[in-house]
């Protein structure tokens, strides 16, 4: 089966923060591939990879990177697919650097950025996009949201004063 | 024709910043509707609106707001469509407040955030999503990117020293 | 007895930071109820809850949340009671995100925001409000402030040079 | 008639930003008094003023100040009334300095802080507090919120594409 | 002997960061007194203390505080002595809050602010001020600076490549 | 007459912001000299100047600079006098850069920093230091503070509602 | 003559800020070429350009860009020449975004970053590098620095009090 | 052999962050010397050192410092060599203070600044500069970059779903 989502990260050290995206894609039974590719250290590989994505059937890209986080922007510049950026809180500036490097893209080449280290939200956003075409994904998304509601509404505070 | 994109903003004062999104959607001949709705001042209207979007055929939401910019998050909480947030630089904090209020969503309810005041990129991201299903949109996107390349590469610096 | 104060938080992980508010309300013998409700994951429950508060006799709401902390604003948008917000320092931005998401509300829907993680101050502010109507609460507040003064003025620095 | 609200500001230059609070209090027919008092330049006057507020029937204090904005905290330290702080965006740091100086109060002495320059919200929060005791104020608040909803929901975007 | 320097801090939790100032004053054999006083929890005590300083022969005040660090400003507002502020990095904002609360004082009431947690520099600045009147202090200061130069210039990097 | 205060600035463009310090020193009849000297463009001149200050009877240095504002630190490193730094809001970062470059000095070489562009406070702090030795300056300072109190307490808000 | 320096910018709107670099290179009679190339809108052109630089004799690259300023990093990733980055203060975040996007590069691919909008310093740094090989450039640099010293030391403050 | 690179740091506590630069210079067999010198505590030594560098054949300076990080600027002001600054994340502001103190230099005296704590990049930038004159260094740089590419492209994610 062809992957629908590409999960790309700038270095292996980003994996612990990007894992949650993969777990959620697994949970939704969405095919994906995961790659380590660097906008700066392997620019040619990255560009070839980005240019080949659409032909191979990939529909959404999730890209996580820290510091001067150019990875999602470099992919966005080399394909026509929606690119979702995950700023990683690597280094002393706690991800403020990667957030700004990702979200402040020039007009014409967007990166849809989610919260710092929040690869879960990147996966859900990818799933919302895929659900526009795929009824089964849409149904799973609906169920997921219902279960989340139930889970939160069952949380309770032991011993609170409820009059 | 049913609109494919909903462009929502929190107040009429956001319109000058959100206009570029509408112009780009027009340019791509993508049907959209534009609404002023406030997460805080018209919460019931907003929720009804968000809940009705999918049934009416809307596929992507673009939401712009300033300061404590809850609008895109409130829509995302009430529908299953991909929501793209545009932080507006309203007030003394230059949009850093709206950027953080938008992008730092809790896990499960993503807002794909673009740059401050950059509604153009919200429109292009919406178009990239629609292009996954609509061949005509995809072709226009390809042409737009080619034209952008040509336009930038024709820019020149008068009188530069080219040896 | 009806609760006078509602203490709401976005997730159970906020409890350690919100506990101090409950302890202070207990100390002042102010009836309260504590709830976990999410602006994004349980929006309908939250709105119903907010709309029902006044009828049940609640007079002040304390709401704590982290990151894109929309919870207090969502409650404020759905009731006429004073809402006190507690930004929680969850995640890499140390609560600057939740502070700005809370305090920068649009005109007409205020959230009276206290310091990051400072739920104690939310409780005291709630008590100051209740004291306007309730003589016994006012007396306890007076005593509390006197005792705080005494406590601080008895603190001393061992071995300091006092000439 | 005794004033119910005290509107205090650190210097006459804060008046343009604090005016909106007074206009809203006027609109709600809430009695108030306005004073210029400085935590640093007239500390004795300020303390006497703060200590005398409750006896004169004042129930809520609104205090606006810029830069190292100690005014609301100094009042809060010298009375038991709820104090609402308005950070003013005076000087090169755009009010981030006054926001932090106001909101980050030590435990026990809260300042309920509203958005930068947003004295309108300070007035509404004061009114929400007064409405707990005063039925007429509560009714006006209800009407105000209804009118705001109507006003926002009547805003429209000329020439938008509504399919 | 009368103390020449007053070292004041807002709470006992500031002591570990303020200790270095006291050690340096001890090293320079400058008489000082140390006090815990709060601008917000013991305002009357603080004001009496500040007003009495000059009469008792104190010449310089060092005041350390965290968060909305009003302590040095409150002392400066109530005496004519030079006040040196030490912002303490207490809480999630790492002292940026206390730095801005201290340094951005209104015109007429200065606080000479040193680096975050850098009470050593507050002590040295106090000593530089005292040295203007006291030859022995000036001589010790000269010696201290000479020794510091020697100490730094003797630091070496083991195994460095020195050609 | 020998100057008691040296007012130094990094470039002539700082003069409009530093002028207020000179006006206040004039008002207090304190002798001063003003110089333009750059830590980076005229390092040797600056060091000679700093080293000669004490011998010529200067007792306090006020140094204003923008951006990477090394000027006050460079003077402090080359003399034993108290140095007061004025961060200037030159350039896009609004003086946050100069504030941090000035206040965050290494242990042993303090710069007593005042608010951004607030050269008035640098002058007052210098006067507070000089007043420790000079009775006439102390008396003028007392009078100045009294007049400031009177001036602020006479400010009034036209048409305010005073019950 | 072959250009020794390439001055690249992301869009024509950066030209006013980048002009100073060109004027200084002209003043030093250093051959340069100026190009508008975008990391995102013309990625292939940019990469070809970067890869061809060394062969054409270019020795230093100066690259200016605003917002998510990937341009200098993209060039650095595709050549072995020293790349100097100029963050441009384009948009609401005043260049803090471009500064962080430029300076926080991953290990192995440096961008030597100068101050926001300070293309003059990029030119001087390029000249310092060229001066290592070119005696004439080194002499001009020496003269330039001497003249700067003279210029600054001749600046004076009219009417200052020089005792 | 004469050192080509000088690696200077403000205190021994910077050594762990600066070590990587030395390891890389060793790896490239570039001669260097390492020194601890302080802009503030040993200003005369530093200036003599900076002025003597060029005569001894040093071609590039790498200078690391924390907080008010004046060291690289002070060196740049006293020699004509290219100076590369490494901001060190010492203290509560995580290196934002040292980054701004370093990069925001006045026109005419540049410091080419690399990422916070990223002394590796300072070494590579120095090597890129040396490679302009030294064919052997250029060849090693080429090899290094090739190996980095290989190393990154061989990184893989165990158990990823590759269709």
């Amino acid at each position: 089966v062809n992957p629908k989502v590409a999960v790309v990260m700038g270095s292996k050290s980003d994996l612990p923060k990007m894992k949650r995206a993969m777990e959620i894609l697994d949970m939704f039974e969405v095919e994906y591939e995961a790659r380590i590719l660097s906008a700066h250290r392997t620019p040619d590989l990255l560009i070839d990879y980005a240019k080949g994505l659409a032909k191979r059937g990939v529909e959404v890209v999730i890209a996580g990177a820290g510091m001067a986080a150019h990875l999602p922007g470099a992919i966005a510049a080399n394909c026509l697919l929606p690119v979702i950026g995950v700023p990683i809180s690597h280094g002393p500036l706690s991800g403020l650097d990667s957030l700004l490097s990702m979200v402040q893209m020039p007009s014409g080449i967007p990166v849809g950025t989610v919260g710092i280290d929040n690869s879960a939200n990147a996966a859900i956003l990818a799933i919302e996009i895929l659900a526009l075409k795929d009824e089964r994904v849409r149904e799973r998304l609906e169920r997921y949201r219902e279960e989340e509601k139930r889970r939160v509404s069952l949380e309770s505070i032991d011993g609170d004063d409820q009059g």
Side-chain angles (χ1 to χ4, degrees), chain A:
Chain A
V1 196
N2 277 342
K4 289 287 183 207
V5 177
V7 178
V8 190
M9 63 203 81
S11 101
K12 196 153 190 178
S13 65
D14 299 328
L15 188 55
K17 300 282 171 62
M18 294 303 290
K19 224 176 197 166
R20 189 72 190 120
M22 297 187 237
E23 290 168 1
I24 288 178
L25 293 169
D26 279 331
M27 195 175 85
F28 277 84
E29 291 174 41
V30 167
E31 300 296 324
Y32 67 92
E33 63 181 22
R35 288 287 182 281
I36 295 170
L37 282 164
S38 163
H40 296 116
R41 281 177 286 198
T42 58
D44 299 321
L45 282 180
L46 179 67
I47 289 167
D48 288 350
Y49 179 74
K51 288 188 173 166
L53 284 167
K55 268 169 282 178
R56 289 169 42 233
V58 170
E59 302 203 323
V60 186
V61 182
I62 293 172
M67 302 202 304
H70 301 188
L71 181 68
I75 298 174
N78 287 288
C79 75
L80 300 177
L81 301 176
V83 176
I84 302 171
V86 184
I88 304 287
S89 67
H90 185 66
L93 295 181
S94 308
L96 188 67
D97 44 1
S98 44
L99 170 56
L100 298 181
S101 299
M102 235 172 234
V103 80
Q104 288 290 78
M105 290 287 290
S107 284
I109 313 288
V111 169
T113 305
V114 296
I116 300 172
D117 295 337
N118 199 339
S119 74
N121 268 5
I124 298 291
L125 184 54
I127 285 161
E128 289 174 348
I129 293 169
L130 296 176
L132 296 173
K133 286 175 71 172
D134 186 334
E135 187 58 21
R136 274 192 333 174
V137 172
R138 209 191 57 75
E139 277 162 21
R140 278 185 208 123
L141 181 61
E142 221 162 300
R143 242 177 302 137
Y144 166 79
R145 287 281 284 266
E146 284 310 314
E147 275 155 31
E148 280 289 287
K149 274 184 205 185
R150 217 163 311 146
R151 194 179 59 71
V152 173
S153 56
L154 287 177
E155 275 188 322
S156 82
I157 295 164
D158 297 331
D160 64 351
D161 175 353
Q162 300 187 8

